[in-house]
Amino acid sequence: MDTNNMHPVMKWVEHRLPVFSFLDHSLGTQYPTPKNLNYWWNFGSLAGLVLVIMIVSGIVLAMHYTAHVDYAFNSVERIMRDVNYGWLIRYIHMNGGSMFFIAVYIHMFRGLYFGSYQAPRELLWIIGVFILLAMMATAFMGYVLPWGQMSFWGATVITNLFSAIPLVGDSIVTLLWGGFSVDNPTLNRFFSLHFLLPFVIVGLVVVHIWALHVHGSNNPTGIDVKSEQDTVGFHPYFTVKDFFGMGVFMIFYMFFVFYAPNFFGEPDNYIPANPLVTPPHIVPEWYFLPYYAILRAFTGDFFVYQIVSLGGLLMDAKLAGVLAMFASILLLLFMPWLDGSKVRSCSFRPIMAMAFWIFFLDCLVLGYIGGKPAEGIYITIGQFATFYYFAHLLVIVPLVSRLERPKQLPDSINASVLKAAE
Amino acid sequence: MHMNKIIKSLVALALVGGVLTAGPAGAAEGTRAPKQSWSFNGLFGTFDRAAAQRGFQVYKEVCAGCHSMNLLSYRHLSQLGFNEEEVKAIAATVEVKDGPDSDGEMFDRPGLPADRFVSPFANANAAAASNNGKVPPDLSLMTKARIGGADYVYGLLTGYEDAPSGVEVPDGGSYNKYFSGQIIAMAPPLSDEAVEYTDGTKPTLAQHAKDITTFLAWAAEPEMEARKRMGIKVLLFLLVLTGMLYAVKRKVWEDLH
């Protein structure tokens, strides 16, 4: 970095702590970025933006929230009614959870389509999956804090899942609860962990970006950067593009905050928690619905269960469902090796692209089924969609990626940009 | 190929939109109460003050016999257009248990604007004992706490009818077509002329139901008007900002395209 033109104060700092050259290499003119990135590449910075908003709004909420079963619900309502702009802070935080998952899910599907998980970005992808897991834990515990009916019963259902683990399951559940049912100790530890985990996510994000900066962003062609012609400096090209994306995203986000703040929520959570009254349908937040559908697909007569449990010998259906639910995410860790193709981007792998879109649809179907009661045709559809989810990851991706002959790749990123401009 | 991509992206967005709208509404059941036209609907909606004031009267004279509204204080009523004197007068009509005083005794005093709405029953057990074993729910958040919101509350209050033949209604229960399971423990609370209005409004069942629902909608979301007013400003600001950012983006990228 040229320090001669710097302001003397900046120069003084730079000499002792090279923060300006660090920034320049991280987000500045010295960070070469493929110039063909499309708008799907905006969602990483958008997720980062939401993370910051969540931490800031969350810290303010924590100043007013009371983590006690007798006061939690009313303390949230006090925030809504009596704290200055409390309703705004709370609705920003509440809808921010949904926005975070929207951004991250699009970010992940983008990675899947363009093969961003492939060498040399395997660890980058794996760290990303861990970020998703940390987000899920954080979101789950955050949803418990208002201590409404869905908070309480969601906590009861999800923590009870761990009882399916053989031998130690019940002890784990007791540990999670801090007692023998979901009660005050549960609420307290969830509040504590809900405050802690976002900072763990920040740490993971730092490592995620560190790993990203080693080889730089993947790009829509999936081919490596070959010369300086393929890239532009991150600043100003992608700083301005990211800022524009943030503007669009904030319009979407703020529409919900101001005009449909409870759209993503459940009305039942405005009823104070009551351990004696079970709501008719216990449903998790929308971003958990696909996993919930996978969990519930495992009934005794589900053919996948019959196969994996050797006709019911190995485990009961509940344990199988819990394992499948965790496997549905943990399998993503192995994507770099499940996909054996030499070509990253699905733009040059038409069969894989089709498989990707069917998989995407399958995830939407699972989400839809997860929100429906487990009865009638919903069970059948949910079981088929669950079967397909695993078939895609374990069979279709490994086979198609190894058998499909990719289309001719462009000579370089620059060549592909010039060709598209024709 | 490029066009193809755009179409695919649009399809994907449409599908996501479809699931988002279908997803959270998943737990619907029973007959959906028809949509009403409310003063507080829409981007610029406000609470009809006269209706909400009449609604408060309905609450005070009918609902408050069984239902608490724990999250409201009398001072909040000033938002509905009651002036300071009126709020004081309203608060003074109730007895509030206070204390202990310097002798350690509890005592009753007239209500103050800062007091919470006084509950009809001392505790949940007393409420259940007087109501066939069912605790009448607190009404502070009612329009937010039910699927269908204000439309559901209005539907429920006007949805009482004779049970169809073959449906057994147990003692103390009533048939209501919008209630989940149709058998509701609450007897029809409103009827024509249940409350005598002072502003000349015709006291029909539908009018009562509309007024109390408006009052409850305000009680559940007292911040709504401020929220919608701020929302317009925020969205307009963001639209202009985003438009300018787009122009800057175009300008910066110009030499590359």
Side-chain angles (χ1 to χ4, degrees), chain A residues 88-108:
Chain A
L88 178 61
I89 299 161
R90 194 222 170 190
Y91 278 157
I92 283 175
H93 197 74
M94 204 172 112
N95 285 282
S98 288
M99 296 303 137
F100 204 177
F101 277 95
I102 288 174
V104 162
Y105 282 153
I106 294 177
H107 186 62
M108 293 183 77

Side-chain angles (χ1 to χ4, degrees), chain A residues 35 37-40 73-74 77-78 80-82 85 87-88 90-91 102 106 113-114 220 232 236-238 240-241 243-244 247-248 250-252 254-255 257-268 270-271 280-281 283 286 289 347 353 357 360-361 364-365 367-368 371-373 407, chain B residues 1-2 5 8-9 11-13 15-16 19-29 42-44 70-72 75-76 116 140-141 144-148 180 218-224 226-235 238-239 241-243 245-246 248-249 252-256:
Chain A
K35 61 184 181 184
L37 298 188
N38 59 34
Y39 276 103
W40 298 118
F73 187 90
N74 282 351
E77 278 305 316
R78 206 186 85 79
M80 293 296 290
R81 289 158 191 270
D82 293 335
Y85 297 106
W87 56 268
L88 178 61
R90 194 222 170 190
Y91 278 157
I102 288 174
I106 294 177
Y113 184 89
F114 293 106
V232 291
Y237 293 99
F238 287 101
V240 70
K241 194 176 178 184
F243 275 124
F244 168 59
V248 175
M250 286 305 283
I251 291 173
F252 176 76
M254 289 302 125
F255 174 80
V257 167
F258 288 102
Y259 293 102
N262 293 298
F263 175 81
F264 293 105
E266 286 290 327
D268 268 34
Y270 283 107
I271 304 170
H281 299 298
V283 280
W286 68 267
L289 291 176
S347 301
W357 286 110
F360 176 71
L361 265 180
L364 295 187
V365 170
Y368 175 77
K372 292 286 171 190
K407 292 199 283 191
Chain B
M1 161 116 177
H2 200 68
K5 251 188 206 163
K8 271 183 190 161
S9 313
V11 169
L13 281 177
L15 282 168
V16 171
V19 164
L20 288 183
T21 44
E29 54 179 276
L43 260 56
F44 302 96
N70 287 331
L71 299 175
L72 271 82
R75 65 184 165 85
H76 289 141
R116 297 286 178 123
S140 311
L141 286 162
K144 266 172 128 177
R146 295 291 182 275
I147 294 164
S180 167
W218 164 79
E221 301 187 273
E223 89 297 345
M224 186 211 73
R227 165 158 59 78
K228 287 181 175 176
R229 271 199 311 273
M230 190 191 286
I232 293 287
K233 290 182 208 155
V234 168
L235 288 184
L238 283 173
L239 279 170
L241 175 72
T242 307
L245 286 170
Y246 182 66
V248 175
K249 191 254 164 193
V252 167
W253 281 76
E254 207 172 42
D255 55 331
L256 277 188

Side-chain angles (χ1 to χ4, degrees), chain A residues 399-414:
Chain A
L399 284 185
V400 171
S401 63
R402 285 167 176 84
L403 296 177
E404 181 177 17
R405 246 184 83 138
K407 292 199 283 191
Q408 178 73 42
L409 292 172
D411 293 332
S412 69
I413 292 172
N414 190 42

Side-chain angles (χ1 to χ4, degrees), chain A residues 58-313:
Chain A
I59 285 173
V60 179
L61 287 176
M63 296 173 186
H64 300 281
Y65 172 77
T66 308
H68 186 286
V69 290
D70 292 340
Y71 304 108
F73 187 90
N74 282 351
S75 77
V76 171
E77 278 305 316
R78 206 186 85 79
I79 291 170
M80 293 296 290
R81 289 158 191 270
D82 293 335
V83 173
N84 289 333
Y85 297 106
W87 56 268
L88 178 61
I89 299 161
R90 194 222 170 190
Y91 278 157
I92 283 175
H93 197 74
M94 204 172 112
N95 285 282
S98 288
M99 296 303 137
F100 204 177
F101 277 95
I102 288 174
V104 162
Y105 282 153
I106 294 177
H107 186 62
M108 293 183 77
F109 275 116
R110 188 270 289 153
L112 286 174
Y113 184 89
F114 293 106
S116 302
Y117 48 80
Q118 285 201 31
R121 297 184 184 83
E122 300 97 321
L123 273 179
L124 173 61
W125 171 262
I126 288 170
I127 296 160
V129 175
F130 282 118
I131 293 175
L132 175 69
L133 287 170
M135 278 174 62
M136 292 173 69
T138 310
F140 163 65
M141 289 190 273
Y143 194 61
V144 175
L145 302 186
W147 210 242
Q149 273 290 66
M150 219 45 103
S151 299
F152 179 87
W153 290 98
T156 303
V157 169
I158 301 302
T159 49
N160 257 315
L161 293 179
F162 291 89
S163 70
I165 300 168
L167 304 175
V168 293
D170 287 329
S171 308
I172 291 176
V173 175
T174 307
L175 190 67
L176 286 172
W177 286 345
F180 299 100
S181 67
V182 174
D183 208 332
N184 203 46
T186 325
L187 180 60
N188 274 301
R189 61 194 56 197
F190 277 21
F191 180 49
S192 169
L193 294 173
H194 183 72
F195 206 114
L196 167 72
L197 280 178
F199 297 99
V200 173
I201 294 177
V202 169
L204 287 168
V205 168
V206 169
V207 183
H208 191 65
I209 295 173
W210 183 12
L212 170 71
H213 281 196
V214 177
H215 293 282
S217 291
N218 183 33
N219 68 86
T221 65
I223 58 178
D224 288 327
V225 168
K226 293 192 176 108
S227 71
E228 279 187 13
Q229 280 191 317
D230 292 344
T231 62
V232 291
F234 190 85
H235 183 73
Y237 293 99
F238 287 101
T239 38
V240 70
K241 194 176 178 184
D242 276 352
F243 275 124
F244 168 59
M246 288 176 186
V248 175
F249 192 75
M250 286 305 283
I251 291 173
F252 176 76
Y253 180 179
M254 289 302 125
F255 174 80
F256 284 102
V257 167
F258 288 102
Y259 293 102
N262 293 298
F263 175 81
F264 293 105
E266 286 290 327
D268 268 34
N269 227 28
Y270 283 107
I271 304 170
N274 184 347
L276 301 178
V277 179
T278 317
H281 299 298
I282 301 172
V283 280
E285 290 278 85
W286 68 267
Y287 37 78
F288 291 137
L289 291 176
Y291 318 109
Y292 197 51
I294 290 173
L295 170 76
R296 293 192 305 176
F298 281 78
T299 55
D301 55 355
F302 182 26
F303 65 95
V304 175
Y305 164 67
Q306 287 292 333
I307 295 165
V308 296
S309 68
L310 305 177
L313 277 176

